[in-house]
Amino acid sequence: MRKLRKILLSTIFALTVSTTFFANTAGTQTVTAASGTAVTFKRKVIAYRTGSVYNFVPMGNAADNRRALNLLMEGNEKKVININNNVHIDTYLRPGNNTTINAGKHTITSDKGVIINDPTAASYTNFKNLTINGGIWKNSSSSGLAGTMMRISYASNISINNATVYTNYKGHGIELISCSNVVVNNCTLKAQGKCSKTCVEEQLQIDLSSPTTAPGLYRLSKKLCNGTPCKNITVKNCTIQGARGICANFAGAGNESKYRKARNYHSNITIENCNVTGISAEAIALFNTKSATVKNCRITTKTPKSRNSYSVGLAVAYQKGSAPKVTTKNVISLINNTVKGGQQGIFVRSNASKKLGTVIVSGNTVSAKKGKKNAIKVLSAKKVKIAKNKTKKW
């Protein structure tokens, strides 16, 4: 890559052009630049540069498109990459720190996934300051990728806005592993293909790092799988549909039980103004999460009630292990949602060594296929406030 960078720098030449690019904002807006510098790769122009802004020029070849974009995105300096055309890539883009990708309404089609980073240390600041604005991100197969389209791990200050991400029911649209300070805003995550009756994969996965929950990291280095959870994750104004919609994950059984300790619990997860649907499992499942807010959402699980706990609309659960200290400062707040589930609409419980802290269920309209009395169930909490809810049979 160093040699490639030298070639790039040696072939930059001045050129006056008229070009359009998107500013580095949470949304996208059009700005006109009067001039730019041509950046070349393999003796072809791949971008026009104005300061730290690069207007990407597709090369036609999927592998070369990916190599050229990665060349523009690498490094730690601040840069803005504008994708102003539909683009075909062969595999993942690997942005560096301090990168903004503006894709507007253009489609980025990959033969595999679209965004990935490979951390080198188990630290929230190992990778930071990535913004993705817009784009329709999809696999080249009409049934989607049975894997992860966007995998971001050991990262902080991540913002994904106005993006549409398609993947298979067996895959994840966005997977966040051991991340802090992430916002997913106004995005659509939608599964493609056929959903099996027993599939439990989620379109938005909030993950801790363990060998079974993050096998990709384990292959990179066993040291990366130390059970670090996610914190300060906000999902708002999104439409999400999958086998599961959103899940905050927990470590598996057997040797994974060492990651079911208080230090491995997720915290400060906020889901608001979202429409979330589960086809064969819970629409929203927040496992081993000590503090969370779900408000103003439409939450629907189409899973048959015979699937028992998988048919719950909105589930919050401590799983077996050493849970955090019981404190009312750890709050689960479920407010003003419309929830439809099978066995229960809303179900909060602890199967771990300790109870949850404070649980607030207020102002919701909750339906359960199993009947009105099963619409809301809150178990194993130190302090419970259930008020002003409407319950019914669905």
Side-chain angles (χ1 to χ4, degrees):
M1 188 58 72
R2 291 180 180 175
K3 182 178 179 181
L4 192 59
R5 178 178 283 277
K6 289 181 180 178
I7 294 172
L8 170 66
L9 293 174
S10 67
T11 54
I12 292 177
F13 58 93
L15 181 68
T16 301
V17 297
S18 178
T19 186
T20 300
F21 65 90
F22 294 109
N24 179 13
T25 63
T28 58
Q29 61 186 96
T30 302
V31 182
T32 300
S35 63
T37 299
V39 180
T40 64
F41 167 65
K42 289 190 173 182
R43 298 184 179 181
K44 293 183 180 180
V45 175
I46 61 171
Y48 291 106
R49 175 182 178 180
T50 303
S52 61
V53 178
Y54 297 82
N55 290 281
F56 176 66
V57 178
M59 301 187 70
N61 178 280
D64 282 346
N65 282 335
R66 182 256 307 166
R67 293 186 187 105
L69 281 166
N70 281 338
L71 182 63
L72 298 173
M73 293 179 187
E74 71 175 2
N76 296 321
E77 69 280 2
K78 183 178 179 180
K79 59 271 187 190
V80 178
I81 313 299
N82 296 321
I83 299 176
N84 299 323
N85 306 87
N86 295 339
V87 177
H88 182 198
I89 57 178
D90 62 335
T91 188
Y92 292 93
L93 300 176
R94 298 174 180 271
N97 293 326
N98 306 310
T99 299
T100 295
I101 303 171
N102 292 320
K105 296 182 179 180
H106 301 292
T107 300
I108 297 85
T109 303
S110 174
D111 297 330
K112 293 185 179 178
V114 288
I115 299 288
I116 197 169
N117 74 296
D118 290 335
T120 56
S123 167
Y124 289 124
T125 59
N126 183 256
F127 177 66
K128 57 187 177 181
N129 303 329
L130 171 67
T131 299
I132 298 173
N133 293 321
I136 300 168
W137 306 82
K138 60 189 294 187
N139 182 263
S140 52
S141 169
S142 60
S143 60
L145 178 71
T148 299
M149 289 296 285
M150 295 185 179
R151 192 194 79 186
I152 301 170
S153 49
Y154 283 111
S156 60
N157 300 329
I158 307 299
S159 180
I160 305 173
N161 310 284
N162 308 312
T164 299
V165 185
Y166 292 100
T167 194
N168 189 270
Y169 278 98
K170 294 181 180 178
H172 312 299
I174 298 174
E175 181 178 7
L176 306 172
I177 307 171
S178 304
C179 289
S180 173
N181 299 328
V182 177
V183 176
V184 180
N185 176 43
N186 200 35
C187 292
T188 297
L189 308 184
K190 191 171 183 180
Q192 297 174 282
K194 185 178 180 180
C195 182
S196 76
K197 294 180 180 180
T198 57
C199 187
V200 296
E201 301 298 336
E202 49 277 337
Q203 286 302 297
L204 176 58
Q205 185 175 55
I206 301 168
D207 233 338
L208 72 162
S209 51
S210 77
T212 58
T213 60
L217 295 190
Y218 189 72
R219 287 191 292 270
L220 282 176
S221 172
K222 294 180 181 179
K223 293 181 180 179
L224 294 173
C225 289
N226 63 3
T228 300
C230 284
K231 62 180 182 179
N232 305 328
I233 309 295
T234 298
V235 185
K236 58 184 181 180
N237 309 314
C238 292
T239 298
I240 300 174
Q241 177 181 307
R244 266 189 181 125
I246 302 172
C247 180
N249 215 353
F250 67 98
N255 292 333
E256 295 279 270
S257 61
K258 64 183 179 181
Y259 300 114
R260 293 188 186 180
K261 298 181 184 295
R263 64 175 176 270
N264 307 126
Y265 274 55
H266 307 293
S267 60
N268 298 331
I269 295 175
T270 299
I271 304 169
E272 60 180 313
N273 299 320
C274 292
N275 189 342
V276 187
T277 303
I279 302 299
S280 56
E282 308 97 325
I284 299 177
L286 302 179
F287 297 119
N288 289 10
T289 300
K290 61 184 180 181
S291 52
T293 297
V294 181
K295 64 180 181 180
N296 301 325
C297 292
R298 294 185 63 85
I299 301 163
T300 306
T301 296
K302 297 184 177 181
T303 310
K305 64 181 180 181
S306 59
R307 290 270 287 153
N308 299 320
S309 62
Y310 289 119
S311 72
V312 174
L314 169 56
V316 181
Y318 283 6
Q319 299 296 9
K320 293 180 180 179
S322 302
K325 181 180 178 180
V326 180
T327 170
T328 55
K329 293 181 180 180
N330 285 342
V331 179
I332 300 295
S333 183
L334 314 175
I335 301 174
N336 297 335
N337 302 289
T338 299
V339 185
K340 294 182 178 181
Q343 181 173 272
Q344 284 91 24
I346 293 175
F347 191 23
V348 182
R349 71 189 187 279
S350 174
N351 296 320
S353 60
K354 299 180 180 68
K355 293 182 177 181
L356 288 84
T358 298
V359 175
I360 301 170
V361 183
S362 177
N364 302 283
T365 298
V366 188
S367 305
K369 291 180 180 178
K370 200 172 180 179
K372 180 177 179 179
K373 66 179 182 179
N374 293 291
I376 299 173
K377 281 197 174 182
V378 179
L379 308 173
S380 311
K382 183 175 182 179
K383 183 178 180 180
V384 179
K385 179 182 178 181
I386 301 177
K388 299 181 180 179
N389 300 288
K390 296 180 181 178
T391 58
K392 60 182 75 174
K393 182 177 181 178
W394 179 26

